[in-house]
Amino acid sequence: AIAPMSLMTYAESRPWARAIKDKVSTRTMPPWYIDKNVGVQGFRYDRSLTDDQIATIVAWVDAGAPRGNPADMPPPREFAARDIWHIGEPDWIVPIPEPFTVPADGANWWGDFFSDSGLTEDRWIKAVETKPSAEGFPVVHHAVTRLQETEDDDTGDFLNEYAQGKNGDAFPAGTGRLVKAGSIIRFNMHYASIGKETTDRTSVGLQFYPKGEEPEKELFSRALAQNFDLDIPPGEDEVRHDSYHPFETNIRLTGFQPHLHNRGKRQCIEAILPDGNTQTISCATWDFGWHIVYNYEDDVQPLLPKGTFLHTITWHDNSAGNRWNPDPRNWAGFGQRSSDDMSFTWTSYYELDDDEFAAAVEERQEMTDNN
């Protein structure tokens, strides 16, 4: 698919042995960029390698990358097609109204499409995925979907996002999002030309709860602590910006995803608690090729009381040492193009009333005491 080489056979892989050693030992591959030394460490779908697995690969390369006995080779792996639905086959699929053709050469294009959801009754969803069409993948920079009552309604809720390296969202057990009858789905699209005329028809897929069944909690996924005042001087590294978001209710944080552009380097989130203490939640190195949602395991999901401020700390690298940097001679600030930059946190959470929050804190303390 998007890889620059094939690693399907020994003959294909052997020439890349030293590069493989470098990528796995620096934890560049497989893509999973959470800092393992700070903050929460329990994640669903964690695809990182263990220290022992990395040591095995490094030892193989250091020994000359020898070939094993062909008689011991397992059957070849079968890989799914690139355009599969990662959440599983959706119950309901809504595409943009018509296919959109991106010219071979042209400026970046942003725009909104509006599609009728086709739903005649309210339905709760437990998973959602926004996905370009098979041909359209290379030209779709991002696709953000929102639920709206009308095309002019700017108060609708975020539904899902597609970006490089990002799959769908499967919600934690007992949580969901309500899609009302007659809803309109807004597709905010960003297309980029790739040297040949390409047609795309992005869709959003929904998986429903059974009719009549409602989840215990509504899950929110929102872009929080947005910083529109970025100042990233040319040639400079470690350029820091800070932004904040207040929580007016008790929340249970279920997922974290940094969002930056080409010059992004690293992002951390911490909680500034009402008593003045701070709690580091997560830090992640940024790689523009992989927009990864880090979903917390149930037993470590941060519990944040109302009055907490989410503090987002972001670093950018505008030096020549950043392989993603389009031009280290240029100043960069906030903007929609990939050559501009951003700083915010996609945050997934649900709200708890005071009694539910107290019970969750007590349960967490009992787990800590028992361990």
Side-chain angles (χ1 to χ4, degrees):
I2 62 173
M5 82 291 281
S6 174
L7 303 175
M8 294 293 291
T9 67
Y10 175 79
E12 292 172 338
S13 306
R14 176 63 183 81
W16 298 97
R18 285 185 294 177
I20 292 170
K21 173 184 173 180
D22 173 67
K23 295 299 184 182
V24 300
S25 60
T26 58
R27 292 193 177 277
T28 306
M29 285 286 160
W32 185 264
Y33 304 122
I34 280 288
D35 189 327
K36 292 182 175 288
N37 298 305
V38 297
V40 178
Q41 292 302 314
F43 296 93
R44 299 172 183 267
Y45 324 116
D46 184 344
R47 59 192 178 200
S48 63
L49 299 180
T50 66
D51 291 342
D52 287 344
Q53 289 170 328
I54 293 173
T56 297
I57 294 171
V58 169
W60 171 70
V61 175
D62 288 346
R67 183 174 188 175
N69 184 347
D72 296 332
M73 185 179 297
R77 285 192 60 184
E78 294 184 6
F79 293 92
R82 184 179 181 183
D83 63 342
I84 65 164
W85 291 96
H86 295 88
I87 61 171
E89 192 62 30
D91 298 311
W92 200 258
I93 298 174
V94 181
I96 60 176
E98 300 290 341
F100 184 83
T101 299
V102 180
D105 296 294
N108 280 228
W109 185 92
W110 292 266
D112 291 328
F113 299 114
F114 299 91
S115 294
D116 187 336
S117 68
L119 293 180
T120 57
E121 58 183 331
D122 294 354
R123 292 299 299 266
W124 284 92
I125 61 171
K126 56 184 178 181
V128 58
E129 181 175 355
T130 305
K131 185 171 68 68
S133 58
E135 182 187 351
F137 272 104
V139 297
V140 179
H141 171 275
H142 78 244
V144 176
T145 49
R146 298 181 65 86
L147 293 170
Q148 300 186 181
E149 292 186 6
T150 67
E151 291 187 10
D152 298 326
D153 173 22
D154 290 330
T155 63
D157 265 337
F158 169 78
L159 185 59
N160 185 243
E161 176 203 36
Y162 165 80
Q164 290 185 93
K166 183 172 180 178
N167 298 328
D169 291 328
F171 305 148
T175 70
R177 194 166 297 152
L178 181 63
V179 182
K180 294 183 179 180
S183 292
I184 289 174
I185 297 180
R186 172 185 174 183
F187 292 80
N188 176 252
M189 303 297 302
H190 175 183
Y191 288 112
S193 297
I194 59 169
K196 67 175 183 177
E197 186 175 280
T198 306
T199 299
D200 169 66
R201 196 174 190 189
T202 290
S203 300
V204 63
L206 310 175
Q207 277 192 350
F208 296 138
Y209 274 89
K211 285 188 178 183
E213 182 178 334
E214 294 188 8
E216 298 173 11
K217 293 291 180 181
E218 181 175 8
L219 185 78
F220 301 101
S221 294
R222 290 175 174 164
L224 301 184
Q226 296 212 44
N227 193 330
F228 300 107
D229 191 23
L230 301 180
D231 179 5
I232 310 171
E236 291 197 16
D237 189 4
E238 302 292 350
V239 181
R240 173 173 168 164
H241 293 90
D242 297 74
S243 52
Y244 304 85
H245 175 82
F247 284 116
E248 298 178 354
T249 59
N250 307 309
I251 70 157
R252 188 172 188 125
L253 190 64
T254 65
F256 150 67
Q257 179 201 331
H259 186 87
L260 301 90
H261 281 186
N262 284 329
R263 293 173 173 86
K265 184 172 185 177
R266 180 176 170 86
Q267 187 176 94
C268 295
I269 56 171
E270 69 174 12
I272 303 175
L273 301 171
D275 62 7
N277 289 316
T278 61
Q279 173 189 340
T280 299
I281 298 174
S282 288
C283 291
T285 302
W286 174 252
D287 187 305
F288 186 65
W290 299 94
H291 294 238
I292 301 171
V293 181
Y294 300 101
N295 293 291
Y296 302 113
E297 292 281 9
D298 292 352
D299 59 350
V300 294
Q301 291 168 347
L303 300 169
L304 306 179
K306 57 187 175 185
T308 295
F309 276 80
L310 181 73
H311 178 199
T312 295
I313 311 158
T314 298
W315 291 266
H316 290 87
D317 179 2
N318 199 8
S319 74
N322 175 2
R323 70 185 181 95
W324 288 103
N325 195 345
D327 191 344
R329 300 169 300 175
N330 281 345
W331 175 90
F334 173 85
Q336 297 291 338
R337 301 173 302 174
S338 299
S339 55
D340 301 316
D341 229 289
M342 288 189 175
S343 171
F344 67 82
T345 301
W346 283 118
T347 311
S348 299
Y349 63 93
Y350 59 89
E351 298 174 346
L352 300 171
D353 64 28
D354 290 343
D355 290 340
E356 291 170 331
F357 185 78
V361 170
E362 182 179 357
E363 179 184 24
R364 184 68 55 81
Q365 186 60 54
E366 289 176 357
M367 292 171 55
T368 301
D369 294 342
N370 292 334
N371 290 334

